[in-house]
Amino acid sequence: MGLGTVAEGDKRWWWNRNVIMVLWMMLSVGFCIGLHCHMRTESLRKAGETLTSMCEERARMLQEQFAVSVNHVHALAILVSTFHYQKNPPALDQVTFANYAARTSFERPLLNGVAYAQRVVHAERELFENQQGWMIKTMNREPSPVQDEYAPVIYSQETVSYIEALDMMSGEVHWNQEDRENILRARATGKAVLTRPFRLLESNHLGVVLTFPVYLSGLPDDATAEERVKATAGYLGGAFDVESLVENLLHQLAGNQEIVVNVYDVTNASEPLTMYGVHLPDGHMSLSHVSMLDFGDPFRKHQMKCRYRKKPPVSLSSITTPSGIFVICMLVGYIGYAAWSHYDNVKEDFRKMEELKKQAEAADVAKSQFLATVSHEIRTPMNGVLGMLDMLLDTDLNLTQMDYAQTAQVCGRALISLINEVLDRAKIEAGKLEIESVPFDLRSILDDVISLFSAKSREKGIELAVYVSDRVPTILTGDPGRFRQIITNLVGNSVKFTERGHVFVQVHLAEHVKMVIDAKTGLNGHANEVNITSATTVFSTLSGLEVANSRNTCESFKMLLSHGASLSCTFGSGSVPESIADKVTLMVSVEDTGIGIPVHAQDRVFAPFMQADSSTSRNYGGTGIGLSISKCLVELMGGKMNFTSRPHVGSTFTFTAVLQKCGKSSGVDTKRSLSEVLPTCFRGMRAILVDRQPVRAAVTKYHLRRLGIITEDVRTINEALHTLSGQNGYLNSSQPGKQPSIFLIEKDSWDPKIDFHIRNQLLQRKEAGHIEDVPKVVLFLTTESDKTRAGSHADSIIVKPLRASTIATCFQQMLGMGKCQNKDIVNNSASLRGLLDGKNILVVDDNKVNLRVAAAALKKYGAKVECVESGKSALSLLQPPHKFDACFMDVQMPEMDGFEATRQIRIMESTAYKEASPDDGSVMAIRHLPILAMTADVIQATYEECVKCGMDGYVSKPFEEAQLYQAVAKFVVSQQIPGSS
């Protein structure tokens, strides 16, 4: 594959981005150069067009002005013909001609002067000379030699008076070497003819002579050449100063400084004669234009050649435009190159990420395997340790031995709890933690959590209390284990960091709390305020100490109670919305008056394995993982967790959880989901509670209300005595059966000095007939040490934290009711024995200690247990038909593990079922054997493998009574215990 890639790369070398970039640059340079050349060519073309336009304009104007001058000469010829030949005597002489020519010279600005030469044949020469009084002379002013005819000048403008008497046909060079030929051509054609360019005598400018024939009258327009020659009377000529003509013309036009104009006589194309301008070599300028001139002489050819005085500059646009396009091309190339590079980098990063993903997945698998192995290796010996401790605690031990064994058991359970937390964190990170949905009793769970920390709270002397709103349903559907874990973590942290005051757990409906906050905001204009208080200030809280969240006051608590009652009426009298009926959003708060959380550490409270500072771990212990796990569990339950904390005041952690109501039609045995069932023998009983703290009194009434006891709370003992006497509108003896039977007093209101006073007052009221019976006095204390200072006249003492079951037990003993639990309680306490009594259980485990522990735990509940140490041994015992009702199978065993053993067992059952004959009843003997995995691996992957191989349940090591009951109850039919009905 690698060679193929290289070969493919060699074939596609051109696809390399560096090569593409070089080619792009070359194309860009070539395109920009071509564009520059094109624009330069266009610029030169436009310059050529401009030059052509200017040259044509100048040629046209030069021709027009020349034609005007020719017309004036023609008119002068007609004048001579009219006044000299058609008048007898002639009306024209030299003076008149000179004056007229001078006065009309403005009409002929291009002519230096005009003159008239009369045609004289040789026979008339002598007579002509006599008439004129001068001799015909040549151009050299010598007497003209004898010739056929002469053309002496008889009239001339004053500017050219020097040519008078000169013979224009003498054939000598002066004005033009071709004078004779021009005169002969002019009279034969009847048109003006021009001479070659020559230097004029006076100005030394280049010029030409225009010759126009003068005919006698009566010549027809279509006369022949011979007729024209015979009718010729003379010749009128004018000298044109071509240089002055062109110079004046250029001065009149714009752009005169930009171009150079040359006028040529090109009658002889091989030797053009310059009439104006300096003759330049042909290669001097690249741009030029030639315009042909028509001066009226068809024999003579003239042209005007125009060139730019300077080479046309390169246009700015032909530089800037290609440069700009080149810059754009380079930018586009750079962007493309950068994008390609980025694409390659992203592709390379993606490849690396794929590799890292594979490595991470492999690492995740390795981590899962590692966690499974570590969990198994730790839990296996811990199962033996805890199991043996349980067995040890069931024996007769003295107090010291009992203390040692219990301490070891607590330490072992703490280690198991730490392992569970680490495994939970691993499950959360892997996204494999799932939330169950089973019915459970929220209040019972909270009571269990409170009992876990009762010893610690009594030791510290702090109030540990729980309150659940009456609006919260009794049975909810959710994950009781995870809910218990969250509450345990929060309460454990609060108890750990609290040395005085209280830890208070409250559960309300989230919409009720929101309504209270909104109502309080509307009344006070704010929902939260912080007041500066002194150290002696007493607050309306559970213990009277300040709390971090100032909203958790007695006023807020009372508003929650009142809103709960009003909402009960509202929902009770109308229809309940479907969303409210199906789902319940709980808001749980755990409030303490502990050391609080430093401000600098509050942003990392939920970070795993983080403590507020290094001293926290040293002073209080812990790993810093509980809050992180709790927050993740809350989010899995569809809620959120936050907190409010003030250093040296305390902390309040609040979370929400979305749970389902448990409908009656769900088909679930809700009694089985309860951890304890409260007795009903106290319903209707009345009691008086003496407590100065309203919040604490409400908590006590909550527990009594669960037992069905109607409680009236007062603030002092005197108010309680007045109540018994029927004063202040309270109950009296005239209402039999409704007098309080129990007198409950908080330690704050109890004084040993008034111990006898209370007893005497109660006896006096009975003797006076105010009360039928003396109520029992129950004293509530916080610590065990307070019992010695409580006095001797209290009928019973209850050490907090309060639990409904604890109060019920105390009242039963105090009132002499005995065991008044209903049938449900009896059955529940003996439910596990009812399930396992007489059942044949096979335990498979390669560890002998675990076999002893499992066998002892099962035998404790009446099961008949048989143990084997391998999967192969289990197969030999489970050949259908067999005697066993259930099998507890270890997962990790040598030779054949629990998964393979279970698969083999299921294959044997399937094969036996197919081979059995329905006639002899052997099919009924072949039944599905419940196999429960008994392993120390508690990760999701192990559970999935258990289900996949055909196991029916899952029991993690070390297992407890509740866990064992939940696993066995699904598959083993319960037997009635004698005497339980």
Side-chain angles (χ1 to χ4, degrees), residues 619-909:
N619 297 334
Y620 299 97
T623 60
I625 195 175
L627 285 178
S628 174
I629 295 175
S630 298
K631 185 175 185 297
C632 295
L633 293 177
V634 167
E635 292 173 352
L636 289 175
M637 292 182 179
K640 295 181 179 179
M641 177 178 286
N642 50 51
F643 70 96
T644 302
S645 183
R646 293 165 60 189
H648 310 297
V649 174
S651 303
T652 301
F653 280 81
T654 305
F655 71 90
T656 57
V658 180
L659 304 175
Q660 296 282 341
K661 285 186 177 180
C662 185
K664 295 182 180 180
S665 60
S666 60
V668 179
D669 184 8
T670 58
K671 295 180 180 180
R672 181 171 290 181
S673 66
L674 305 180
S675 60
E676 60 180 348
V677 178
L678 299 176
T680 60
C681 57
F682 300 105
R683 292 177 181 175
M685 187 177 293
R686 293 181 177 271
I688 295 178
L689 172 64
V690 181
D691 195 343
R692 298 176 183 176
Q693 296 291 345
V695 176
R696 187 172 57 191
V699 172
T700 304
K701 291 172 66 177
Y702 154 73
H703 291 289
L704 296 173
R705 189 164 57 250
R706 292 176 62 191
L707 297 174
I709 301 175
I710 302 172
T711 307
E712 188 73 36
D713 63 298
V714 295
R715 296 180 61 85
T716 63
I717 292 179
N718 290 331
E719 293 181 12
L721 295 176
H722 292 161
T723 301
L724 290 174
S725 301
Q727 301 178 18
N728 299 329
Y730 292 106
L731 301 174
N732 55 27
S733 59
S734 63
Q735 298 170 315
K738 294 186 178 180
Q739 288 185 343
S741 302
I742 304 174
F743 200 68
L744 307 170
I745 304 175
E746 276 287 343
K747 69 170 185 176
D748 298 348
S749 303
W750 180 264
D751 187 352
K753 296 180 180 179
I754 63 172
D755 186 4
F756 294 100
H757 173 71
I758 295 174
R759 178 62 59 181
N760 291 334
Q761 290 290 330
L762 292 175
L763 292 175
Q764 291 176 6
R765 279 169 171 72
K766 180 179 180 181
E767 293 175 358
H770 295 294
I771 56 177
E772 294 180 357
D773 296 315
V774 177
K776 299 293 183 180
V777 178
V778 179
L779 181 61
F780 291 141
L781 301 179
T782 306
T783 62
E784 295 285 348
S785 60
D786 291 336
K787 289 183 178 180
T788 58
R789 301 190 297 270
S792 58
H793 286 82
D795 295 289
S796 181
I797 295 176
I798 299 178
V799 181
K800 296 182 179 181
L802 295 180
R803 289 181 57 190
S805 59
T806 305
I807 296 175
T809 302
C810 176
F811 287 1
Q812 290 168 4
Q813 296 176 356
M814 179 181 65
L815 298 175
M817 292 182 177
K819 297 292 182 179
C820 64
Q821 290 100 329
N822 54 23
K823 182 178 179 179
D824 293 333
I825 298 178
V826 175
N827 290 339
N828 187 62
S829 61
S831 57
L832 188 57
R833 175 172 291 275
L835 288 172
L836 297 178
D837 187 37
K839 295 295 189 296
N840 292 300
I841 306 296
L842 176 63
V843 179
V844 185
D845 198 323
D846 62 319
N847 189 293
K848 294 183 179 181
V849 175
N850 288 337
L851 283 177
R852 292 180 60 188
V853 171
L858 295 171
K859 289 178 180 180
K860 179 179 177 180
Y861 301 106
K864 299 177 182 179
V865 181
E866 187 170 343
C867 300
V868 294
E869 298 181 3
S870 67
K872 291 184 177 180
S873 301
L875 291 179
S876 62
L877 293 177
L878 294 176
Q879 290 286 344
H882 54 75
K883 64 178 181 179
F884 295 101
D885 299 297
C887 174
F888 285 80
M889 180 80 69
D890 187 23
V891 172
Q892 295 185 1
M893 294 183 294
E895 296 184 3
M896 180 181 292
D897 59 16
F899 299 136
E900 182 61 27
T902 302
R903 280 191 284 267
Q904 295 296 329
I905 293 171
R906 297 307 180 206
I907 293 174
M908 290 191 305
E909 290 178 348

Side-chain angles (χ1 to χ4, degrees), residues 18 23 32 35 127 216-217 327 356 503 585 588 640 690 700-701 710 866:
N18 295 324
L23 292 176
C32 292
L35 180 62
L127 177 60
L216 297 176
S217 61
V327 172
L356 293 176
V503 175
T585 302
V588 184
K640 295 181 179 179
V690 181
T700 304
K701 291 172 66 177
I710 302 172
E866 187 170 343

Side-chain angles (χ1 to χ4, degrees), residues 345-356:
N345 293 336
V346 170
K347 187 165 64 173
E348 180 64 19
D349 292 343
F350 180 76
R351 185 188 63 80
K352 293 180 179 178
M353 288 177 62
E354 285 291 327
E355 293 180 357
L356 293 176

